[in-house]
Short mmCIF file of all heavy atoms in Angstrom, two decimals:
data_model
loop_
_atom_site.label_atom_id
_atom_site.label_comp_id
_atom_site.label_asym_id
_atom_site.label_seq_id
_atom_site.Cartn_x
_atom_site.Cartn_y
_atom_site.Cartn_z
N ALA A 428 -11.31 22.61 -9.30
CA ALA A 428 -11.54 22.40 -7.97
C ALA A 428 -11.71 20.88 -7.64
O ALA A 428 -11.09 20.35 -6.67
CB ALA A 428 -12.94 23.09 -7.47
N ARG A 429 -12.42 20.19 -8.50
CA ARG A 429 -12.52 18.68 -8.34
C ARG A 429 -11.23 18.01 -8.54
O ARG A 429 -10.83 17.08 -7.85
CB ARG A 429 -13.53 18.21 -9.34
CG ARG A 429 -13.86 16.69 -9.18
CD ARG A 429 -15.03 16.29 -10.04
NE ARG A 429 -15.38 14.89 -9.84
CZ ARG A 429 -16.37 14.32 -10.51
NH1 ARG A 429 -17.13 15.01 -11.30
NH2 ARG A 429 -16.52 13.02 -10.39
N TYR A 430 -10.46 18.54 -9.55
CA TYR A 430 -9.09 17.95 -9.81
C TYR A 430 -8.13 18.06 -8.63
O TYR A 430 -7.53 17.11 -8.20
CB TYR A 430 -8.52 18.56 -11.00
CG TYR A 430 -7.11 18.03 -11.34
CD1 TYR A 430 -6.87 16.87 -11.97
CD2 TYR A 430 -6.00 18.85 -10.96
CE1 TYR A 430 -5.58 16.40 -12.23
CE2 TYR A 430 -4.76 18.37 -11.13
CZ TYR A 430 -4.47 17.14 -11.83
OH TYR A 430 -3.21 16.76 -12.00
N ARG A 431 -8.13 19.24 -8.03
CA ARG A 431 -7.29 19.53 -6.94
C ARG A 431 -7.66 18.60 -5.73
O ARG A 431 -6.78 18.09 -5.05
CB ARG A 431 -7.35 20.99 -6.48
CG ARG A 431 -6.64 21.95 -7.48
CD ARG A 431 -6.94 23.32 -7.12
NE ARG A 431 -6.42 23.72 -5.81
CZ ARG A 431 -5.15 24.16 -5.70
NH1 ARG A 431 -4.34 24.29 -6.73
NH2 ARG A 431 -4.72 24.52 -4.44
N LYS A 432 -8.90 18.34 -5.50
CA LYS A 432 -9.35 17.47 -4.46
C LYS A 432 -8.89 15.99 -4.70
O LYS A 432 -8.56 15.25 -3.83
CB LYS A 432 -10.98 17.51 -4.30
CG LYS A 432 -11.42 18.89 -3.71
CD LYS A 432 -12.89 18.88 -3.61
CE LYS A 432 -13.38 20.15 -2.95
NZ LYS A 432 -14.88 20.21 -2.89
N ALA A 433 -9.05 15.59 -5.98
CA ALA A 433 -8.61 14.25 -6.38
C ALA A 433 -7.11 14.06 -6.18
O ALA A 433 -6.66 13.04 -5.67
CB ALA A 433 -9.00 13.93 -7.84
N VAL A 434 -6.33 15.06 -6.50
CA VAL A 434 -4.90 15.01 -6.37
C VAL A 434 -4.58 15.06 -4.78
O VAL A 434 -3.68 14.22 -4.36
CB VAL A 434 -4.17 16.20 -7.01
CG1 VAL A 434 -2.76 16.26 -6.52
CG2 VAL A 434 -4.32 16.13 -8.46
N SER A 435 -5.34 15.84 -4.05
CA SER A 435 -5.05 15.83 -2.55
C SER A 435 -5.38 14.53 -1.93
O SER A 435 -4.54 14.02 -1.12
CB SER A 435 -5.97 16.95 -1.92
OG SER A 435 -5.87 16.96 -0.59
N ALA A 436 -6.43 13.84 -2.37
CA ALA A 436 -6.81 12.58 -1.84
C ALA A 436 -5.72 11.42 -2.11
O ALA A 436 -5.29 10.77 -1.26
CB ALA A 436 -8.17 12.06 -2.39
N ALA A 437 -5.24 11.51 -3.33
CA ALA A 437 -4.23 10.54 -3.70
C ALA A 437 -2.86 10.78 -2.99
O ALA A 437 -2.22 9.91 -2.58
CB ALA A 437 -3.94 10.62 -5.26
N LEU A 438 -2.58 12.08 -2.90
CA LEU A 438 -1.35 12.45 -2.18
C LEU A 438 -1.39 12.07 -0.73
O LEU A 438 -0.36 11.60 -0.18
CB LEU A 438 -1.08 13.89 -2.40
CG LEU A 438 0.24 14.50 -1.89
CD1 LEU A 438 1.42 13.75 -2.58
CD2 LEU A 438 0.35 15.94 -2.23
N TRP A 439 -2.52 12.24 -0.10
CA TRP A 439 -2.68 11.85 1.25
C TRP A 439 -2.50 10.35 1.54
O TRP A 439 -1.80 9.87 2.42
CB TRP A 439 -4.02 12.29 1.84
CG TRP A 439 -3.99 13.64 2.46
CD1 TRP A 439 -4.39 14.81 1.93
CD2 TRP A 439 -3.60 13.90 3.81
NE1 TRP A 439 -4.18 15.85 2.82
CE2 TRP A 439 -3.68 15.35 4.03
CE3 TRP A 439 -3.09 13.16 4.94
CZ2 TRP A 439 -3.41 15.98 5.26
CZ3 TRP A 439 -2.84 13.83 6.13
CH2 TRP A 439 -2.94 15.16 6.28
N VAL A 440 -3.05 9.53 0.62
CA VAL A 440 -2.89 8.07 0.75
C VAL A 440 -1.43 7.68 0.48
O VAL A 440 -0.92 6.91 1.19
CB VAL A 440 -3.76 7.41 -0.38
CG1 VAL A 440 -3.50 5.89 -0.36
CG2 VAL A 440 -5.30 7.66 -0.08
N GLN A 441 -0.80 8.45 -0.50
CA GLN A 441 0.68 8.15 -0.80
C GLN A 441 1.49 8.49 0.40
O GLN A 441 2.38 7.71 0.78
CB GLN A 441 1.07 8.96 -2.00
CG GLN A 441 2.54 8.73 -2.41
CD GLN A 441 2.69 7.58 -3.30
OE1 GLN A 441 2.01 7.38 -4.23
NE2 GLN A 441 3.68 6.76 -2.97
N MET A 442 1.28 9.64 1.08
CA MET A 442 2.04 10.08 2.18
C MET A 442 1.87 9.14 3.36
O MET A 442 2.78 8.83 4.08
CB MET A 442 1.76 11.48 2.53
CG MET A 442 2.15 12.51 1.50
SD MET A 442 1.51 14.20 1.88
CE MET A 442 2.24 14.50 3.48
N THR A 443 0.64 8.74 3.53
CA THR A 443 0.36 7.80 4.72
C THR A 443 1.08 6.54 4.49
O THR A 443 1.61 5.90 5.49
CB THR A 443 -1.16 7.55 4.79
OG1 THR A 443 -1.82 8.79 4.94
CG2 THR A 443 -1.45 6.61 6.05
N LEU A 444 1.12 6.02 3.33
CA LEU A 444 1.84 4.78 3.03
C LEU A 444 3.38 4.94 3.22
O LEU A 444 3.97 4.06 3.85
CB LEU A 444 1.57 4.30 1.59
CG LEU A 444 2.23 3.04 1.18
CD1 LEU A 444 1.30 2.14 0.29
CD2 LEU A 444 3.50 3.27 0.29
N VAL A 445 3.87 6.07 2.77
CA VAL A 445 5.31 6.28 3.03
C VAL A 445 5.66 6.37 4.48
O VAL A 445 6.62 5.77 4.95
CB VAL A 445 5.71 7.56 2.33
CG1 VAL A 445 7.15 7.98 2.61
CG2 VAL A 445 5.62 7.39 0.78
N VAL A 446 4.80 7.00 5.29
CA VAL A 446 5.07 7.13 6.70
C VAL A 446 4.99 5.77 7.39
O VAL A 446 5.73 5.44 8.31
CB VAL A 446 4.10 8.17 7.39
CG1 VAL A 446 4.15 8.04 8.83
CG2 VAL A 446 4.32 9.54 6.81
N SER A 447 4.03 4.96 6.95
CA SER A 447 3.93 3.60 7.51
C SER A 447 5.06 2.70 7.16
O SER A 447 5.45 1.85 7.90
CB SER A 447 2.57 3.01 7.03
OG SER A 447 1.43 3.72 7.29
N TYR A 448 5.73 2.91 5.94
CA TYR A 448 6.71 2.07 5.50
C TYR A 448 8.16 2.53 6.00
O TYR A 448 9.04 1.70 6.05
CB TYR A 448 6.74 1.99 4.05
CG TYR A 448 5.77 1.04 3.47
CD1 TYR A 448 4.39 1.07 3.71
CD2 TYR A 448 6.17 -0.03 2.67
CE1 TYR A 448 3.49 0.23 3.19
CE2 TYR A 448 5.26 -0.96 2.09
CZ TYR A 448 3.89 -0.72 2.42
OH TYR A 448 3.00 -1.68 1.88
N LEU A 449 8.22 3.77 6.40
CA LEU A 449 9.49 4.43 6.67
C LEU A 449 10.23 3.61 7.85
O LEU A 449 11.42 3.33 7.72
CB LEU A 449 9.40 5.85 7.01
CG LEU A 449 10.67 6.66 7.13
CD1 LEU A 449 11.49 6.51 5.92
CD2 LEU A 449 10.42 8.10 7.43
N PRO A 450 9.52 3.39 8.99
CA PRO A 450 10.23 2.61 10.06
C PRO A 450 10.75 1.26 9.66
O PRO A 450 11.82 0.89 10.05
CB PRO A 450 9.07 2.50 11.13
CG PRO A 450 8.15 3.57 10.87
CD PRO A 450 8.16 3.72 9.29
N ILE A 451 10.00 0.50 8.90
CA ILE A 451 10.49 -0.79 8.52
C ILE A 451 11.75 -0.69 7.50
O ILE A 451 12.58 -1.53 7.53
CB ILE A 451 9.32 -1.68 7.93
CG1 ILE A 451 9.81 -3.21 7.90
CG2 ILE A 451 9.01 -1.28 6.49
CD1 ILE A 451 8.71 -4.18 7.57
N LEU A 452 11.68 0.36 6.72
CA LEU A 452 12.84 0.50 5.78
C LEU A 452 14.08 0.85 6.56
O LEU A 452 15.14 0.46 6.27
CB LEU A 452 12.50 1.65 4.76
CG LEU A 452 11.40 1.34 3.79
CD1 LEU A 452 11.03 2.56 2.88
CD2 LEU A 452 11.74 0.17 2.86
N ILE A 453 13.92 1.78 7.61
CA ILE A 453 15.05 2.09 8.53
C ILE A 453 15.50 0.82 9.16
O ILE A 453 16.77 0.58 9.39
CB ILE A 453 14.66 3.21 9.51
CG1 ILE A 453 14.27 4.46 8.69
CG2 ILE A 453 15.71 3.44 10.54
CD1 ILE A 453 13.80 5.63 9.60
N THR A 454 14.55 -0.01 9.70
CA THR A 454 15.00 -1.19 10.43
C THR A 454 15.79 -2.07 9.56
O THR A 454 16.80 -2.65 9.90
CB THR A 454 13.72 -1.89 11.01
OG1 THR A 454 12.98 -1.02 11.76
CG2 THR A 454 14.06 -3.14 11.79
N GLU A 455 15.33 -2.23 8.29
CA GLU A 455 15.96 -3.24 7.33
C GLU A 455 17.39 -2.62 7.04
O GLU A 455 18.33 -3.40 6.89
CB GLU A 455 15.18 -3.37 6.10
CG GLU A 455 13.97 -4.20 6.25
CD GLU A 455 14.24 -5.63 6.72
OE1 GLU A 455 15.20 -6.22 6.22
OE2 GLU A 455 13.54 -6.10 7.67
N ALA A 456 17.50 -1.31 6.94
CA ALA A 456 18.80 -0.72 6.61
C ALA A 456 19.77 -0.93 7.77
O ALA A 456 20.96 -0.97 7.53
CB ALA A 456 18.59 0.81 6.41
N LEU A 457 19.35 -1.02 8.96
CA LEU A 457 20.24 -1.24 10.12
C LEU A 457 20.45 -2.71 10.47
O LEU A 457 21.08 -3.04 11.45
CB LEU A 457 19.57 -0.53 11.34
CG LEU A 457 19.37 1.01 11.30
CD1 LEU A 457 18.70 1.50 12.56
CD2 LEU A 457 20.80 1.60 11.17
N LYS A 458 19.90 -3.68 9.64
CA LYS A 458 19.95 -4.98 9.93
C LYS A 458 21.36 -5.50 10.08
O LYS A 458 21.68 -6.33 11.02
CB LYS A 458 19.16 -5.78 8.82
CG LYS A 458 19.20 -7.32 9.02
CD LYS A 458 18.33 -7.98 8.01
CE LYS A 458 18.65 -7.71 6.61
NZ LYS A 458 17.79 -8.40 5.63
N HIS A 459 22.20 -5.19 9.17
CA HIS A 459 23.52 -5.69 9.23
C HIS A 459 24.43 -5.10 10.40
O HIS A 459 25.39 -5.64 10.70
CB HIS A 459 24.32 -5.50 7.90
CG HIS A 459 23.60 -6.22 6.76
ND1 HIS A 459 23.85 -7.59 6.62
CD2 HIS A 459 22.80 -5.88 5.77
CE1 HIS A 459 23.13 -8.02 5.52
NE2 HIS A 459 22.52 -6.97 5.02
N GLN A 460 24.00 -3.86 10.80
CA GLN A 460 24.79 -3.23 11.95
C GLN A 460 24.27 -3.83 13.24
O GLN A 460 25.16 -4.07 14.10
CB GLN A 460 24.43 -1.76 11.89
CG GLN A 460 25.01 -1.07 10.59
CD GLN A 460 24.73 0.45 10.72
OE1 GLN A 460 24.36 0.95 11.73
NE2 GLN A 460 25.03 1.13 9.58
N ARG A 461 23.00 -4.10 13.40
CA ARG A 461 22.46 -4.57 14.68
C ARG A 461 22.59 -6.10 14.80
O ARG A 461 22.67 -6.64 15.96
CB ARG A 461 20.98 -4.18 14.74
CG ARG A 461 20.68 -2.67 14.79
CD ARG A 461 21.26 -2.16 16.06
NE ARG A 461 21.00 -0.73 16.20
CZ ARG A 461 21.37 0.01 17.19
NH1 ARG A 461 22.01 -0.50 18.26
NH2 ARG A 461 21.10 1.36 17.19
N GLY A 462 22.68 -6.79 13.73
CA GLY A 462 22.77 -8.31 13.81
C GLY A 462 21.45 -8.88 14.09
O GLY A 462 20.38 -8.21 14.14
N MET A 463 21.47 -10.17 14.33
CA MET A 463 20.27 -10.88 14.72
C MET A 463 19.91 -10.82 16.25
O MET A 463 19.81 -11.90 16.89
CB MET A 463 20.40 -12.41 14.23
CG MET A 463 20.54 -12.53 12.71
SD MET A 463 19.17 -11.76 11.89
CE MET A 463 19.97 -11.19 10.37
N SER A 464 19.73 -9.67 16.72
CA SER A 464 19.51 -9.47 18.20
C SER A 464 18.08 -9.52 18.44
O SER A 464 17.21 -9.37 17.49
CB SER A 464 20.10 -8.17 18.60
OG SER A 464 19.45 -7.08 17.99
N LEU A 465 17.69 -9.75 19.63
CA LEU A 465 16.30 -9.73 20.07
C LEU A 465 15.64 -8.36 19.82
O LEU A 465 14.42 -8.31 19.35
CB LEU A 465 16.11 -10.13 21.53
CG LEU A 465 14.77 -10.19 22.12
CD1 LEU A 465 13.84 -11.03 21.41
CD2 LEU A 465 14.77 -10.46 23.58
N SER A 466 16.41 -7.30 20.12
CA SER A 466 15.77 -6.02 19.97
C SER A 466 15.49 -5.66 18.46
O SER A 466 14.45 -5.05 18.22
CB SER A 466 16.75 -4.92 20.45
OG SER A 466 17.97 -4.97 19.87
N PHE A 467 16.37 -6.15 17.66
CA PHE A 467 16.11 -5.95 16.17
C PHE A 467 14.84 -6.74 15.66
O PHE A 467 14.08 -6.18 15.08
CB PHE A 467 17.32 -6.56 15.36
CG PHE A 467 17.05 -6.64 13.89
CD1 PHE A 467 16.93 -5.55 13.09
CD2 PHE A 467 16.78 -7.88 13.32
CE1 PHE A 467 16.71 -5.66 11.74
CE2 PHE A 467 16.49 -8.05 11.93
CZ PHE A 467 16.47 -6.86 11.13
N HIS A 468 14.73 -7.99 16.16
CA HIS A 468 13.49 -8.77 15.73
C HIS A 468 12.27 -8.19 16.34
O HIS A 468 11.26 -8.12 15.57
CB HIS A 468 13.72 -10.18 16.20
CG HIS A 468 14.53 -11.02 15.23
ND1 HIS A 468 13.98 -11.60 14.06
CD2 HIS A 468 15.85 -11.30 15.22
CE1 HIS A 468 14.97 -12.25 13.48
NE2 HIS A 468 16.15 -12.14 14.14
N LEU A 469 12.26 -7.68 17.55
CA LEU A 469 11.12 -7.11 18.08
C LEU A 469 10.72 -5.77 17.37
O LEU A 469 9.57 -5.52 17.02
CB LEU A 469 11.33 -6.78 19.62
CG LEU A 469 10.09 -6.49 20.38
CD1 LEU A 469 9.13 -7.62 20.34
CD2 LEU A 469 10.54 -6.23 21.82
N ALA A 470 11.81 -5.02 17.04
CA ALA A 470 11.50 -3.80 16.28
C ALA A 470 10.96 -4.04 14.93
O ALA A 470 10.02 -3.39 14.40
CB ALA A 470 12.83 -3.01 16.16
N ARG A 471 11.40 -5.15 14.30
CA ARG A 471 10.86 -5.62 13.03
C ARG A 471 9.42 -5.91 13.11
O ARG A 471 8.63 -5.62 12.17
CB ARG A 471 11.64 -6.75 12.43
CG ARG A 471 11.16 -7.31 11.18
CD ARG A 471 12.00 -8.44 10.69
NE ARG A 471 13.04 -8.02 9.71
CZ ARG A 471 13.77 -8.95 9.10
NH1 ARG A 471 13.64 -10.24 9.28
NH2 ARG A 471 14.62 -8.56 8.18
N GLU A 472 9.04 -6.63 14.12
CA GLU A 472 7.58 -7.04 14.33
C GLU A 472 6.73 -5.82 14.49
O GLU A 472 5.59 -5.74 14.03
CB GLU A 472 7.44 -7.98 15.60
CG GLU A 472 8.32 -9.21 15.49
CD GLU A 472 8.08 -10.04 14.25
OE1 GLU A 472 6.97 -9.98 13.55
OE2 GLU A 472 8.96 -10.79 13.85
N PHE A 473 7.20 -4.85 15.34
CA PHE A 473 6.44 -3.56 15.43
C PHE A 473 6.33 -2.82 14.14
O PHE A 473 5.27 -2.32 13.86
CB PHE A 473 7.10 -2.67 16.53
CG PHE A 473 6.69 -3.05 17.94
CD1 PHE A 473 7.42 -3.82 18.74
CD2 PHE A 473 5.47 -2.49 18.44
CE1 PHE A 473 7.10 -4.15 20.05
CE2 PHE A 473 5.09 -2.82 19.70
CZ PHE A 473 5.90 -3.57 20.54
N THR A 474 7.37 -2.78 13.42
CA THR A 474 7.34 -2.05 12.05
C THR A 474 6.54 -2.75 11.07
O THR A 474 5.81 -2.12 10.31
CB THR A 474 8.73 -1.81 11.52
OG1 THR A 474 9.43 -3.05 11.45
CG2 THR A 474 9.55 -0.86 12.50
N ARG A 475 6.52 -4.12 11.10
CA ARG A 475 5.63 -4.87 10.20
C ARG A 475 4.15 -4.60 10.52
O ARG A 475 3.28 -4.52 9.66
CB ARG A 475 5.88 -6.33 10.26
CG ARG A 475 7.23 -6.75 9.55
CD ARG A 475 7.44 -8.26 9.70
NE ARG A 475 6.41 -8.97 8.94
CZ ARG A 475 6.42 -10.35 8.91
NH1 ARG A 475 7.40 -11.09 9.59
NH2 ARG A 475 5.49 -10.99 8.18
N THR A 476 3.86 -4.53 11.83
CA THR A 476 2.45 -4.23 12.25
C THR A 476 2.07 -2.81 11.81
O THR A 476 0.90 -2.67 11.35
CB THR A 476 2.39 -4.26 13.80
OG1 THR A 476 2.78 -5.60 14.23
CG2 THR A 476 0.99 -3.89 14.28
N LEU A 477 3.04 -1.90 11.80
CA LEU A 477 2.74 -0.50 11.39
C LEU A 477 2.37 -0.56 9.83
O LEU A 477 1.48 0.13 9.40
CB LEU A 477 3.85 0.44 11.65
CG LEU A 477 3.68 1.84 11.24
CD1 LEU A 477 2.48 2.54 12.07
CD2 LEU A 477 4.94 2.71 11.55
N VAL A 478 3.07 -1.29 9.10
CA VAL A 478 2.82 -1.47 7.67
C VAL A 478 1.41 -2.01 7.44
O VAL A 478 0.67 -1.42 6.58
CB VAL A 478 3.88 -2.37 6.99
CG1 VAL A 478 3.45 -2.70 5.55
CG2 VAL A 478 5.21 -1.72 6.96
N LEU A 479 1.10 -2.99 8.15
CA LEU A 479 -0.30 -3.60 7.95
C LEU A 479 -1.37 -2.66 8.41
O LEU A 479 -2.54 -2.72 7.92
CB LEU A 479 -0.37 -4.91 8.72
CG LEU A 479 0.64 -6.04 8.23
CD1 LEU A 479 0.64 -7.30 9.10
CD2 LEU A 479 0.33 -6.40 6.81
N LEU A 480 -1.04 -1.87 9.38
CA LEU A 480 -2.02 -0.88 9.91
C LEU A 480 -2.45 0.10 8.85
O LEU A 480 -3.59 0.61 8.83
CB LEU A 480 -1.48 -0.13 11.10
CG LEU A 480 -2.24 1.06 11.70
CD1 LEU A 480 -3.54 0.46 12.26
CD2 LEU A 480 -1.50 1.79 12.75
N ASN A 481 -1.62 0.28 7.83
CA ASN A 481 -2.01 1.24 6.74
C ASN A 481 -3.25 0.75 5.99
O ASN A 481 -4.04 1.61 5.50
CB ASN A 481 -0.78 1.26 5.75
CG ASN A 481 -0.99 2.16 4.63
OD1 ASN A 481 -1.36 1.68 3.42
ND2 ASN A 481 -0.99 3.43 4.77
N SER A 482 -3.56 -0.52 6.00
CA SER A 482 -4.66 -0.99 5.33
C SER A 482 -5.97 -0.66 6.08
O SER A 482 -7.09 -0.57 5.47
CB SER A 482 -4.66 -2.53 5.23
OG SER A 482 -3.57 -2.96 4.47
N SER A 483 -5.90 -0.26 7.35
CA SER A 483 -7.02 0.16 8.21
C SER A 483 -7.25 1.64 8.04
O SER A 483 -8.25 2.17 8.26
CB SER A 483 -6.95 -0.29 9.59
OG SER A 483 -6.92 -1.64 9.76
N LEU A 484 -6.17 2.40 7.76
CA LEU A 484 -6.16 3.84 7.64
C LEU A 484 -6.78 4.34 6.26
O LEU A 484 -7.39 5.33 6.23
CB LEU A 484 -4.77 4.37 7.87
CG LEU A 484 -4.16 4.17 9.23
CD1 LEU A 484 -2.73 4.75 9.31
CD2 LEU A 484 -5.04 4.65 10.35
N ASN A 485 -6.52 3.59 5.23
CA ASN A 485 -6.94 4.03 3.88
C ASN A 485 -8.37 4.22 3.77
O ASN A 485 -8.83 5.25 3.21
CB ASN A 485 -6.45 3.02 2.79
CG ASN A 485 -4.92 3.13 2.52
OD1 ASN A 485 -4.33 4.20 2.78
ND2 ASN A 485 -4.39 2.16 1.98
N PRO A 486 -9.26 3.36 4.31
CA PRO A 486 -10.69 3.69 4.27
C PRO A 486 -11.06 4.99 4.88
O PRO A 486 -11.94 5.74 4.38
CB PRO A 486 -11.29 2.46 4.94
CG PRO A 486 -10.43 1.36 4.79
CD PRO A 486 -9.04 2.04 4.87
N LEU A 487 -10.44 5.32 6.00
CA LEU A 487 -10.67 6.66 6.62
C LEU A 487 -10.23 7.77 5.75
O LEU A 487 -10.93 8.83 5.64
CB LEU A 487 -9.95 6.69 7.94
CG LEU A 487 -10.34 5.66 8.97
CD1 LEU A 487 -9.46 5.80 10.28
CD2 LEU A 487 -11.74 5.72 9.37
N LEU A 488 -9.12 7.62 5.00
CA LEU A 488 -8.69 8.65 4.13
C LEU A 488 -9.61 8.88 2.95
O LEU A 488 -9.92 10.00 2.51
CB LEU A 488 -7.27 8.38 3.61
CG LEU A 488 -6.12 8.35 4.63
CD1 LEU A 488 -4.83 7.95 4.00
CD2 LEU A 488 -6.01 9.80 5.25
N TYR A 489 -10.18 7.70 2.42
CA TYR A 489 -11.07 7.85 1.29
C TYR A 489 -12.29 8.56 1.70
O TYR A 489 -12.79 9.51 0.99
CB TYR A 489 -11.52 6.48 0.90
CG TYR A 489 -10.43 5.47 0.44
CD1 TYR A 489 -10.50 4.19 0.59
CD2 TYR A 489 -9.25 6.03 -0.12
CE1 TYR A 489 -9.57 3.24 0.11
CE2 TYR A 489 -8.23 5.21 -0.53
CZ TYR A 489 -8.40 3.81 -0.33
OH TYR A 489 -7.30 2.96 -0.77
N CYS A 490 -12.84 8.33 2.86
CA CYS A 490 -14.01 9.06 3.36
C CYS A 490 -13.76 10.43 3.72
O CYS A 490 -14.63 11.31 3.53
CB CYS A 490 -14.57 8.32 4.68
SG CYS A 490 -15.24 6.63 4.36
#
Side-chain angles (χ1 to χ4, degrees):
R429 184 174 180 177
Y430 174 80
R431 289 170 65 87
K432 290 180 180 178
V434 171
S435 174
L438 189 55
W439 268 96
V440 175
Q441 180 84 49
M442 291 172 59
T443 302
L444 182 139
V445 171
V446 171
S447 300
Y448 279 59
L449 189 59
I451 197 170
L452 294 176
I453 295 175
T454 302
E455 291 298 319
L457 297 175
K458 177 170 59 178
H459 294 284
Q460 296 181 10
R461 297 292 181 178
M463 297 303 151
S464 64
L465 176 59
S466 59
F467 166 78
H468 278 275
L469 194 58
R471 176 183 264 186
E472 303 305 336
F473 273 96
T474 55
R475 285 181 66 181
T476 299
L477 183 60
V478 168
L479 296 173
L480 176 63
N481 180 257
S482 298
S483 295
L484 298 178
N485 282 340
L487 299 177
L488 292 175
Y489 302 151
C490 293

